[in-house]
Each structure stands twice: as C-alpha cells, then as structure tokens.
Amino acid sequence: MSAPEERTAPTSRPSPPKSRAPQATSYASCANDTSLHDYALFRRGIEPDARVPARGYPLPDGPPEPDRPRLTLREAQGEVASALADTLADPDPVRAAAAVHLRVRSLVMPHRTVRACVLRLPLTDEAAARRTGRRLVRTGTTPAAVQVGLGLLSRLGEPEDVPWLTVLGTLRGFERPVVAALDRLDRKAAALLMLRTRLRDAALDPLLDAVEAGDDQATLAALTGLPPDFRTMGYARRMAEAADLHRLLRAHPRDPALLLRAAGLLRRMADQHDVRAEILDYGPAMETYETLIGHADLPEPTPAYRAVLLSIALDLHSGPAALLGWRPGRREALLDALGRLPAAPTPDGVLDDPAERRRADWTARTGRQPFRVPPDGERLRIEVVAEDPGDRGGVETRILVDGRPLVPALFGKGLGESPERLLDTGLLRAGAEPREVRLAEAYCTEGCCGALYVTIRREGDEVVWGDWRGAVGPTPPEYRFDAAAYDAELERADRDRPWSWPARSAAKLIADGLRDRPDLLTRWDALRGWVGTAWDEPDTVVVSFTYWPGLAAGNRDPEGPWLQFGWRIPPAGTPIEEQAAAVLDRLASTDPKSWAEILGGSREHAERLGYPWPERG
C-alpha cells in the first residue's frame, strides 16, 4: 500500500485543492489511496456555506466497523501491542504507516478501542512514533489507521499538527478524539471544533465566524450580543476558550456587557449537575475571577446579576472553584470584595412575579452564607447550599475538610446528597458500628456512572472516614475528626437552615411526622416514599407513597401489583407547623389514594387494583 506524499499544512478555513478534489457530491468513486484528510477538505469545499454539519461529515462508504461485545480491555491491549508495537518504532514513517494500514485490518475491534489501546501502548522511540502518527493523520486512508495516528498525536503531537487535526475533526466519529488531541496543543482550536460539531446552535455562528476570522471587535460584539437566555450548559468553558474570554476581559475590563457575560460563563463552568465542573479545567479561571470581581460594580445591579454574583460567591466558598490553586488569602479577599457590594434594589412590580419573588427570597436567605469566616482550625464544615431558583434550583449538602469541598474533589459527577438524606436521617452520625454512607450520586444515576461512598466509624474520641468507594482517581486518604467537634458540627448544620424556604420546611415537618408515625400510611397499605418540594413548583409540597395491597395486614405479595402515588400540597398561607399538622391529620382519617395522583407502576397494575391509569400527553 502506498500513501500520498505529505503536503503543506491546511489553513484554518480549508478549501479543497481544485486539482485534486473530485467535482461531484459523491466521494464513493474516489481511489482507495485518497486520504480521509483530503476527503474532509472535499466535503467542506462542496458545502454552500462551508459549515460543518452536526456531528461532522459522514465518512465515505467502506467496510462496516468491527465489533466484539465480549472483548476485554486487557485482551484488546495485547492484540494491539502485538500488531503495532514494533511498527511504531520504525524510523521510516512512510514504511511504518503502510504497515499500520495492513496490520489494523487484523484487529477485530471498534476503531475507538484501537485508539484507546494506542494511548496506553509503551513506545520505545517516541520520535519515530510521532512521525508515524503525523503520516497517518495526514495521509491515512482508513478510519482504523487514522485512529492509530490520532492516538499517537494525542500523546506526542506538537503545534504544527493543529491544522491537520482540525480538518480531520470535521469527520463523524473523529470529533471527540481530535478535540482530546487538540486540548493539549491549542485550547481555542479544540473549543471551536467542539462548538461547530457538537453544540450546533445558529446563535453561535457569528461568534465562531468572528473568532476564526481573528476579528477581536467582532468577537466582542458577538459574545456580548448573544441572547440573555442563551443556554451554555456543558459548553461554557468551550465558549470562553473559543472567544479567549480572559484576553478580552484584560482588553476591555470596564465593559459592562462583557462583565455580565463573563459572570454567566464562570457560574455555568462551576455547575456540578452534569459532568466534572468545567471550572477545574479552565486554565485562566483564577485570573478571570480576579478581573470580574475587581470590576463587578460596573454592570447595572439588577436582581438577576446580583443572584449570579451570589452564586459565584457560593462556588468560591464551598463549591468547585474553591479547589483552584489560589495563593493564600486570595480567595478570601475576593469573597470579601463580593460581600461588600451593595444590595440590589428591587424594581417595582418584580415581586408580583412568583419566580422573581422566589429569587428575591433566596437572595435574602442566602445573602451572607458565603461570607462567613470559619473558625480557626476548623477541620470539618457542612454547608447546605440551595442554588438560585431562577437557575437550576438544586439543594445539596457540601462537606468541606480543611476548607476543601470533598464531592467535587473526589467524585465530580454530580451534586452532593440532599440534606434530607444526609442530615435529617442522621446518616452522617458516627455510631459504634461502621456505616457506609453515599455522599453523592452521578447526575445520570448510580447505575450509569456510579456514586461516592464513605464508611463512617467511631474510634474512641475520634470519628473516622475511610474505606472510600467510587472515588475518581487515587483512593482518598482516611480522615480523622475529633468526635466532640464532629458531633457539634452535625448539630450546627442541622439547626442552621436559612437555605430552606417555607414549602421545604413544611415538607421536613411532614417527613418527620411520617417517620415518627409510620402507621399513618401503612393503615392504607401504603409505604412512605419521597417527601419534598415539586421540581416544577418549589412552593408545592409533594408526598409520595407506594400502594402495596396487604401491607397493613403484613401479607404483602412482593410479586403482586403496586402503584406509586403523589400528593401535591399547594401553599396554604398558614404557618408551616399548621400546614404540616393538617396534612398528618388528614392522613390519619382519610385514605390518600382517594385524591393523590398516580405517578408510577403500570397500566396493568392499575387495572388489577381498580384504578384508572392516567393518560399523559
């Protein structure tokens, strides 16, 4: 097999070479030795606006990708090493690349598995492997061979490889590995490629076009001109990297619109609802916080802007931003600067809007939380943080050891558990018997991406946290706390509830009542479920329970039909103690299945139990 000779590097907005690219919309008839790189140039050249489609251009027709469902990583690693190790040490890149094309045909495994194995493959001559990787990326003709090249350049690539990688990244199935390779070499190029191929929001096109054109003024205008409600979840860091946000802020530190956009991006980068908080991977994060907070008084102090600044303060105080490499005292100084900003005036009529009223209440309740100075020598701190209800509105228990939040440091796949689960149930209390406690669950459920567990035990006058399970990275150390101080902190966290709003507090009283008097539900063949506030209406309490015939008599059939119900309790306009008492009294006298809504189970179960299955749109 021969491959085309290497060429000069492509430009950032490549067009197909007129003398080489076929003048047709089909590439199936091209010769077998045409590289995938040239194919990508061709596809971009025939697009009317030269825009990359979502997920990239489809690959040319070829043999189906191999699959081996029972293949283990160890087996794959051995097969790849046997096929490629000696070839990648060949000093002649042309001969080595030709050999790779031949040998990968024998590897019956997905192409991404081949690349993953190359990423782990011991290399005896890195310079030779780099030359072969470049040859494969620039002239490789099959997806498997090109994935080998991507694996090599992900480890060994240099700045000169960026244009070639960027072109390949426009092909479907190559965008993720190319972004991973570019992340080492050029964060802006990686961000542009990801936003072009993954986010695919037309509102971003002016920004991406301006960045690619190198027009700073147009970049500034496009970034600040994005719609106020533009959703950046999962892509905030890439937007900041593509636009070179830190450099823009240095050049325009007093631009109110840019400061507003920077505040929104920093807040979103610290979000923990999904994957690892992006702020931890944003290189100039600390400098960007410094510039923003140094000029935070310039934008109009609207309630929405002040809510974002308060959220940023919470991130710096007990969230993932606290994990950045701050020099001693600097993070505290930034928090002090945020804490000295004057309160935002409440415009007339805002409190007539329920959503704005909830945000104003949250700001009032939470306003001083991130600005409290911890006692000297405090080892353990438990902070319950309620998020801005105008944003995600989640509530989590943040556990800090020596000032460092554990969940984003050790897990980073979701929020900490709710206070109802960790504090109200006493799970964090240390007893004579060791107890394993789940501190956080992955945003996509434990069954998908895991959870973080710790075993808590008491040893004399110490409480020990150890035997960690589910942590990302090295096994965490064992933490030891003074038992008296530990118990005192749990008591303080349980009493200190400014984060809770009336409906949430009423839900706690109801949950406590049902925990103390389980017969209120079991008399109706019902088992208590989740008690809290409705995600779509935070001022509404929801009491969920499972109807299992025979439960009260002690002869429940575990294989028999069941139904899950939910009772939505709107605000009553009365003190929360009265509202909770009224709920418990009603359960004592009336079967809640007569008014609650069916939330789960099955149509078959509902029919067998004599209940109409709800028809939902």
Side-chain angles (χ1 to χ4, degrees):
M1 173 180 288
S2 62
E5 292 302 314
E6 296 188 17
R7 301 168 296 284
T8 57
T11 62
S12 60
R13 294 295 298 270
S15 299
K18 293 183 179 180
S19 60
R20 300 172 64 94
Q23 301 301 306
T25 58
S26 172
Y27 211 75
S29 60
C30 292
N32 289 334
D33 65 351
T34 301
S35 71
L36 292 185
H37 178 274
D38 276 1
Y39 168 76
L41 288 175
F42 161 77
R43 289 303 304 254
R44 188 160 187 173
I46 64 173
E47 293 292 329
D49 59 1
R51 296 203 185 282
V52 182
R55 302 297 187 264
Y57 302 115
L59 290 171
D61 294 336
E65 185 174 353
D67 190 20
R68 283 175 56 191
R70 293 184 176 83
L71 178 68
T72 67
L73 182 58
R74 176 175 294 184
E75 291 170 342
Q77 196 73 51
E79 292 179 21
V80 170
S82 177
L84 300 180
D86 61 332
T87 296
L88 298 183
D90 190 332
D92 183 342
V94 176
R95 183 172 60 216
V100 168
H101 277 83
L102 288 173
R103 295 188 181 189
V104 292
R105 295 178 184 174
S106 66
L107 297 174
V108 184
M109 63 185 72
H111 301 152
R112 63 183 181 278
T113 303
V114 175
R115 179 178 57 86
C117 293
V118 170
L119 289 172
R120 299 171 173 82
L121 194 65
L123 299 173
T124 58
D125 188 336
E126 290 190 351
R130 181 184 296 109
R131 290 193 297 270
T132 299
R134 284 179 176 153
R135 180 76 183 180
L136 291 167
V137 162
R138 300 178 186 190
T139 67
T141 59
T142 67
V146 173
Q147 288 282 15
V148 172
L150 289 177
L152 293 171
L153 293 192
S154 291
R155 300 169 60 179
L156 308 170
E158 295 175 334
E160 71 176 76
D161 302 308
V162 169
W164 305 89
L165 290 168
T166 301
V167 170
L168 269 181
T170 62
L171 294 178
R172 190 165 299 166
F174 284 79
E175 69 277 11
R176 287 186 183 275
V178 167
V179 166
L182 289 174
D183 268 336
R184 282 186 54 252
L185 306 173
D186 188 329
R187 282 293 182 91
K188 177 182 283 191
L192 281 169
L193 178 61
M194 174 169 277
L195 293 172
R196 286 286 194 201
T197 59
R198 305 296 296 184
L199 185 54
R200 293 304 302 157
D201 191 316
L204 266 185
D205 286 342
L207 172 62
L208 303 184
D209 291 344
V211 170
E212 288 185 340
D215 188 332
D216 284 354
Q217 287 301 317
T219 297
L220 175 63
L223 182 63
T224 57
L226 285 169
D229 59 349
F230 185 81
R231 305 301 286 174
T232 59
M233 288 179 285
Y235 295 94
R237 173 171 68 94
R238 297 301 185 178
M239 287 178 60
E241 290 170 343
D244 207 345
L245 175 64
H246 176 49
R247 187 173 62 82
L248 281 179
L249 274 175
R250 286 205 313 268
H252 309 278
R254 303 184 65 82
D255 185 320
L258 181 58
L259 291 166
L260 283 170
R261 182 62 63 190
L265 289 174
L266 285 171
R267 168 74 277 276
R268 188 57 63 211
M269 279 190 263
D271 193 298
Q272 300 178 83
H273 281 267
D274 301 319
V275 294
R276 169 182 161 93
E278 293 183 297
I279 199 69
L280 300 176
D281 299 315
Y282 181 49
M286 291 184 290
E287 294 87 348
T288 307
Y289 277 120
E290 295 256 9
T291 306
L292 168 68
I293 295 172
H295 300 87
D297 60 330
L298 295 179
E300 181 184 355
T302 63
Y305 174 54
R306 287 304 164 87
V308 172
L309 291 182
L310 179 54
S311 296
I312 286 174
L314 290 166
D315 296 334
L316 288 166
H317 179 253
S318 59
L323 296 173
L324 298 171
W326 300 101
R327 64 182 186 273
R330 190 55 199 154
R331 179 170 62 97
E332 293 78 5
L334 293 177
L335 282 169
D336 182 64
L338 285 172
R340 286 186 279 105
L341 290 173
T346 302
D348 293 339
V350 164
L351 298 185
D352 295 334
D353 183 322
E356 291 300 329
R357 185 170 61 250
R358 283 193 290 270
R359 171 175 268 175
D361 290 343
W362 170 80
T363 302
R365 293 193 315 272
T366 312
R368 300 312 306 167
Q369 182 177 8
F371 309 117
R372 299 170 183 162
V373 178
D376 291 339
E378 182 179 66
R379 187 83 205 284
L380 174 71
R381 182 76 176 180
I382 298 174
E383 292 281 349
V384 178
V385 173
E387 297 178 318
D388 176 6
D391 190 16
R392 294 288 195 107
V395 179
E396 69 165 328
T397 308
R398 296 182 179 179
I399 299 169
L400 292 87
V401 176
D402 298 328
R404 289 175 59 82
L406 287 187
V407 168
L410 305 181
F411 187 60
K413 300 179 185 179
L415 297 177
E417 292 284 357
S418 72
E420 287 85 357
R421 187 173 189 277
L422 288 182
L423 296 177
D424 296 353
T425 60
L427 280 178
L428 291 181
R429 297 191 178 278
E433 294 296 324
R435 174 194 292 133
E436 187 177 61
V437 178
R438 191 177 76 183
L439 300 181
E441 179 186 22
Y443 69 98
C444 53
T445 73
E446 179 176 357
C448 181
C449 288
L452 177 66
Y453 284 88
V454 67
T455 297
I456 300 174
R457 67 182 189 274
R458 188 178 293 266
E459 289 186 359
D461 59 357
E462 288 187 322
V463 172
V464 182
W465 282 25
D467 297 325
W468 294 88
R469 185 161 62 89
V472 175
T475 302
E478 192 174 76
Y479 293 105
R480 291 180 174 267
F481 309 99
D482 175 81
Y486 181 92
D487 292 341
E489 176 59 14
L490 289 185
E491 292 291 341
R492 182 207 62 77
D494 191 47
R495 292 191 313 269
D496 190 11
R497 304 181 71 88
W499 55 268
S500 186
W501 58 100
R504 191 101 178 193
S505 298
K508 180 184 185 303
L509 293 177
I510 295 168
D512 290 345
L514 292 174
R515 191 177 298 113
D516 295 338
R517 300 171 59 191
D519 61 294
L520 291 179
L521 282 173
T522 55
R523 70 182 63 188
W524 311 115
D525 285 337
L527 188 66
R528 181 175 67 90
W530 173 76
V531 182
T533 52
W535 68 269
D536 57 342
E537 179 48 67
D539 295 330
T540 296
V541 176
V542 177
V543 176
S544 69
F545 58 90
T546 301
Y547 170 42
W548 232 313
L551 186 68
N555 56 7
R556 171 178 67 88
D557 180 2
E559 303 300 325
W562 58 271
L563 291 172
Q564 184 187 45
F565 287 80
W567 177 17
R568 294 174 69 96
I569 306 165
T574 59
I576 60 172
E577 293 81 5
E578 292 182 16
Q579 184 180 14
V583 168
L584 297 175
D585 288 345
R586 190 176 184 188
L587 288 174
S589 60
T590 312
D591 186 346
K593 297 189 295 295
S594 62
W595 68 77
E597 175 189 7
I598 293 177
L599 300 181
S602 68
R603 183 184 296 273
E604 177 190 357
H605 286 185
E607 291 174 352
R608 290 174 62 184
L609 294 172
Y611 288 87
W613 184 253
E615 301 296 337
R616 298 185 176 93

